[in-house]
Amino acid sequence: MLSRSLLLALAWSSIAVAFTSSACASGAAAPIDGSRLAAVDKDEPGSWLAHGRTWSDQRFSPLDQISTANVSGLGLAWSYELDVRRGQESTPLMADGVLYFSTSWSKVVALDARDGHLLWEFDPKVPGRAGFRACCDVVNRGVALWGDKVYVGTVDGRLIALNRETGQLVWSVTTTDPSKPYTITGAPRVANGKVFIGNGGAEYGVRGYVSAYDAQTGRRVWRFYTVPGNPKGGENSRAMRLATPTWHGRWWQFGGGGTVWDSMSVDPELNLLYVGVGNGVPWRQAIRSPGGGDNLFLSSIVALNADTGRYIWHYQTTPGDNWDFDATQNMVLAELRIQGKRRKVLMQANKNGFFYVLDRKSGEFLSAKNFVDVRWATGIDANTHRPIEVPAARYSDKPFVNLPSAFAAHNWHPMAYSPQTGWVYIPVMEIPFKYAADKDFQYRPGAWNLGVDMMAGALPDDMDARRKLRPQLKGRLIAWDPVAQREMWRVDHGGPANGGVLATAGGLVFQGTGQSRFAAYGARDGKKLWEFATQTGVIAPPITYSIDGEQYVAVLAGWGGGYAVISPFVGPGSGDMLTPRRMLVFRLGGTARLPPDTTVERPRPQLAEENWPAESVARGKRLFYKNCAVCHGDAAVGGRVIPDLRYSALLSSPQAWQAVVIGGALTSHGMVSFRRWLNEKDAQDVRAYVAGESKRLFRDMDREAVSR
Ligand code: CA
């Protein structure tokens, strides 16, 4: 006979079971907190709760149902069509059966992770004019989860908390000065009840910082500035006492730069928040800080007390940055055995071409080695731990063609680390860039302010010469041993701007490409084991999750980001192609299909014959590179993300062109009025230049068609 207490216990456990299952069915999920995140590997290996899956930011999943042995049987489970045509860079999160992710214009979507049906969506209604301030497309790299909320940063500088179940707005705070060209494209991070958010804008002219907000209320808890303000302002923290002597001139007038626009990592045991700090503004140091100096904390990894924002340590990867070498690439936290000792390390494959291993408790430099060809430095000095610079690389007297470049050796596309192999998997790019001082530079508040002549490295006019450049622009996936600091294998892709990386316990590495493919490789040998045609370039990082014993792999597909905006060497062909943007989810034996590929060339404009004086075209070209190229592409080629100007019907109407460029008729799409920077004659000269480029493109396409 059962005792009364045992009966009671049984009754309670069945109530608990009933409660748990009904809670799951109704979507009322357990809150996400520090203990749930800390136990994710043990308790719920099928979840993906934080940006890099766990606090370690390794982007490694212990799931192994999909493995080297069976990945050839991977198929599409479902796909979800997005209502945007801009770049997709978000890392989805998966908690309690729901897939949460952000899309272009800082929108948020929640889907049922099993079948992709829409649970809710949220549109922060970012005003179109804010898009003008985003140098590298109106992308967003993801949301954060904490408690019963979802957090997202918006292009116009807001941090927003949503109800996880309904997508309803809970609170919204403005984190930036709306009068300055700040943007947010990075994902918030959360720990210990605080949401951390940075911002971007260092190509335009802002002062970088990272802030912490109370996750429950949205109240600001602390803010850390990455560069000093005007010394007369009386800031007297330890960080600013360190940084101020490393600057000269009147840098605060430009803001200084140093934005924390993407990567942050948290070590909850050490209570440290690591932030990756971006480049200075202007890029050219001779303008920003005449007389040089290290310009702390530009291009640095900085460790802060996560509770107070107090400075703990820093390591500057590029002292006195002159090349846009942001230190904003993702940071992986791991334990490595280095010279016989287990060390808690932080690893970063930096934009400057060197792979860094630091002790993440003390900030001690452990090792660094170039993972691509590097021209600007010959190595890292073993004693000072500073780069050994090649003097000519500073392009003070004459231009310097550098590798890596502002586009990267490695950019925001996250790398992954597999504790199984002990290797890091890095999406690598090789894009040379000709740095030349802008001799006529004048600071223009709110505008593109590099101090570098963008026209110096312009595409050649001759289309065949243009085509010959393509093989010089490389992209590959490499496996890197961070202890030995050497490459273990490489896979060459057809070009740069490929996706972020996922590593799994199934012995696999997943990555999408700019060539519209999504593939799985063997983690030990780099052998391609599976591939899927995505109909559009994939730059986002994939994730994996499991529900009811079924493992899924998810990735957002859709061209965009800085390189796709500016370069013609993205994807096949040339010209304006509007391709879809989708969430793609795969499982073993998946049989779903994408709709037929309907990508077509946009109709060509009928251009009136106008006789432009050569002087007008040449002048228009100079103005184009100074004002327009950042969004509309080198030689007006940008057609994968933003409508290709060479197809614009506006080209044949001086009045319509004027209404847009000066009148701001397309402000709601992000094309603001350039009245502050261009007059009417300037605008018409730009039209002359673009019309010439339009004719050049269609002549070439017709010639190519005949020769085929
Ligand atoms: Ca930058």
Side-chain angles (χ1 to χ4, degrees):
M1 200 174 136
L2 292 168
S3 74
R4 187 181 143 81
S5 60
L6 186 55
L7 277 172
L8 262 176
L10 280 173
W12 270 111
S13 68
S14 59
I15 288 167
V17 167
F19 179 76
T20 311
S21 45
S22 72
C24 279
S26 72
I32 290 166
D33 57 16
S35 52
R36 193 171 164 191
L37 262 161
V40 69
D41 276 343
K42 186 164 63 73
D43 293 349
E44 44 179 327
S47 299
W48 192 291
L49 300 183
H51 197 59
R53 195 179 77 85
T54 67
W55 268 316
S56 66
D57 276 323
Q58 294 179 357
R59 292 178 180 269
F60 172 80
S61 166
L63 299 181
D64 60 2
Q65 185 180 68
I66 302 168
S67 70
T68 49
N70 61 20
V71 68
S72 60
L74 200 62
L76 190 68
W78 53 266
S79 64
Y80 180 86
E81 208 81 19
L82 304 178
D83 62 349
V84 285
R85 292 280 174 169
R86 304 286 287 265
Q88 302 308 319
E89 298 187 354
S90 175
T91 298
L93 304 184
M94 203 299 287
D96 307 302
V98 181
L99 203 55
Y100 303 91
F101 58 97
S102 54
T103 73
S104 326
W105 296 103
S106 331
K107 294 181 182 183
V108 184
V109 179
L111 303 177
D112 184 311
R114 291 173 187 83
D115 60 15
H117 81 259
L118 179 70
L119 300 175
W120 55 259
E121 55 191 336
F122 174 80
D123 181 356
K125 302 216 179 326
V126 171
R129 65 177 183 281
F132 163 73
R133 294 172 166 180
C135 70
C136 307
D137 198 1
V138 289
V139 293
N140 191 284
R141 294 186 202 87
V143 299
L145 295 172
W146 189 264
D148 57 357
K149 298 183 184 63
V150 183
Y151 303 90
V152 68
T154 67
V155 173
D156 57 345
R158 288 171 284 162
L159 177 65
I160 287 176
L162 304 172
N163 179 305
R164 227 181 103 192
E165 228 177 298
T166 63
Q168 297 283 311
L169 184 96
V170 180
W171 54 255
S172 170
V173 291
T174 300
T175 71
T176 55
D177 177 349
S179 73
K180 300 206 166 72
Y182 284 103
T183 49
I184 298 178
T185 56
R189 311 298 203 273
V190 198
N192 200 17
K194 291 178 197 69
V195 191
F196 309 106
I197 190 76
N199 45 57
E203 271 68 32
Y204 296 77
V206 297
R207 182 186 184 197
Y209 58 85
V210 58
S211 320
Y213 291 85
D214 184 294
Q216 195 59 31
T217 63
R219 181 182 59 89
R220 193 167 109 199
V221 182
W222 56 256
R223 177 163 289 176
F224 176 85
Y225 283 97
T226 56
V227 299
N230 185 339
K232 290 200 179 114
E235 290 170 24
N236 192 28
S237 63
R238 181 169 161 232
M240 290 305 115
R241 286 198 300 277
L242 265 173
T244 307
T246 69
W247 288 78
H248 304 287
R250 301 163 77 81
W251 69 90
W252 61 89
Q253 293 181 330
F254 313 124
T259 50
V260 181
W261 57 266
D262 189 40
S263 103
M264 291 184 271
S265 289
V266 179
D267 183 326
E269 274 174 43
L270 299 172
N271 195 31
L272 293 179
L273 172 74
Y274 306 101
V275 301
V277 183
N279 57 280
V281 60
W283 285 0
R284 197 166 159 248
Q285 196 193 18
I287 305 166
R288 181 178 76 236
S289 177
D294 285 354
N295 296 171
L296 290 173
F297 296 95
L298 296 183
S299 306
S300 300
I301 295 164
V302 183
L304 306 172
N305 178 303
D307 285 333
T308 62
R310 194 166 49 85
Y311 164 89
I312 306 293
W313 60 256
H314 80 276
Y315 176 78
Q316 190 172 40
T317 48
T318 311
D321 174 43
N322 209 33
W323 308 274
D324 184 28
F325 284 160
D326 306 91
T328 51
Q329 301 68 46
N330 72 312
M331 297 173 280
V332 167
L333 314 184
E335 278 198 25
L336 296 182
R337 184 167 287 279
I338 292 173
Q339 292 175 335
K341 237 175 109 183
R342 281 206 85 75
R343 307 285 294 244
K344 284 181 187 295
V345 304
L346 179 155
M347 297 183 270
Q348 188 185 57
N350 195 272
K351 206 180 186 188
N352 71 11
F354 290 93
F355 189 93
Y356 294 92
V357 182
L358 307 177
D359 180 306
R360 71 171 181 271
K361 190 170 176 206
S362 61
E364 182 191 341
F365 172 94
L366 297 176
S367 68
K369 175 85 183 176
N370 61 307
F371 61 95
V372 288
D373 287 342
V374 167
R375 291 183 192 159
W376 70 281
T378 56
I380 306 295
D381 186 288
N383 298 312
T384 64
H385 307 146
R386 294 168 68 92
I388 306 158
E389 274 189 32
V390 172
R394 290 215 160 245
Y395 58 96
S396 347
D397 306 321
K398 56 175 196 238
F400 184 82
V401 180
N402 203 6
L403 263 181
S405 67
F407 293 111
H410 173 218
N411 207 313
W412 65 268
H413 320 76
M415 64 182 189
Y417 166 73
S418 166
Q420 274 187 347
T421 58
W423 299 342
V424 175
Y425 301 91
I426 315 171
V428 168
M429 295 194 247
E430 253 182 50
I431 307 170
F433 182 80
K434 188 178 191 176
Y435 290 85
D438 179 356
K439 297 282 190 322
D440 312 317
F441 178 78
Q442 279 190 326
Y443 181 69
R444 301 181 302 164
W448 188 240
N449 282 300
L450 303 188
V452 167
D453 181 0
M454 291 282 279
M455 215 170 93
L459 285 170
D461 287 346
D462 180 72
M463 296 300 252
D464 286 325
R466 238 177 241 193
R467 270 186 278 276
K468 285 192 186 119
L469 285 176
R470 192 169 189 132
Q472 291 183 31
L473 308 163
K474 295 171 192 158
R476 55 183 171 266
L477 173 64
I478 68 167
W480 185 264
D481 179 339
V483 177
Q485 289 276 25
R486 70 188 170 102
E487 188 179 302
M488 304 310 289
W489 54 254
R490 66 166 62 186
V491 174
D492 280 302
H493 299 316
N498 304 299
V501 181
L502 162 71
T504 74
L508 294 168
V509 176
F510 288 88
Q511 190 196 18
T513 71
Q515 310 302 311
S516 306
R517 292 286 186 279
F518 182 54
Y521 305 90
R524 296 210 179 268
D525 54 14
K527 201 175 146 203
K528 190 192 284 180
L529 300 172
W530 171 82
E531 191 177 62
F532 180 86
T534 51
Q535 300 182 356
T536 177
V538 176
I539 52 173
I543 67 156
T544 186
Y545 58 88
S546 95
I547 302 173
D548 301 335
E550 180 84 55
Q551 185 184 353
Y552 300 84
V553 176
V555 70
L556 279 164
W559 273 310
Y563 189 70
V565 164
I566 206 164
S567 168
F569 305 119
V570 175
S574 50
D576 194 337
M577 305 285 179
L578 283 178
T579 54
R581 306 291 191 265
R582 294 188 182 109
M583 169 61 81
L584 306 176
V585 175
F586 302 89
R587 66 174 172 82
L588 291 174
T591 53
R593 289 181 178 278
L594 290 180
D597 189 348
T598 53
T599 304
V600 285
E601 188 195 337
R602 220 172 125 197
R604 296 181 185 187
Q606 296 300 315
L607 290 190
E609 277 308 316
E610 288 182 72
N611 284 320
W612 299 100
E615 184 269 335
S616 209
V617 176
R619 200 169 162 275
K621 182 175 181 178
R622 279 197 305 279
L623 291 166
F624 181 89
Y625 274 91
K626 217 173 179 74
N627 296 282
C628 320
V630 55
C631 290
H632 290 289
D634 197 349
V637 298
R640 305 289 165 180
V641 189
I642 291 170
D644 190 321
L645 285 187
R646 298 170 300 179
Y647 287 74
S648 175
L650 300 174
L651 284 173
S652 36
S653 163
Q655 295 79 14
W657 185 265
Q658 198 78 1
V660 171
V661 178
I662 305 296
L666 291 179
T667 298
S668 66
H669 296 250
M671 175 60 200
V672 299
S673 162
F674 273 65
R675 193 187 300 276
R676 276 184 289 172
W677 305 300
L678 300 176
N679 63 31
E680 293 193 5
K681 161 136 178 47
D682 295 339
Q684 294 306 328
D685 286 352
V686 171
R687 185 171 73 92
Y689 166 65
V690 178
E693 289 304 313
S694 177
K695 286 177 187 161
R696 188 194 308 282
L697 171 71
F698 300 133
R699 252 194 331 263
D700 182 67
M701 285 171 79
D702 292 342
R703 197 193 59 170
E704 283 283 295
V706 168
S707 70
R708 263 204 302 272

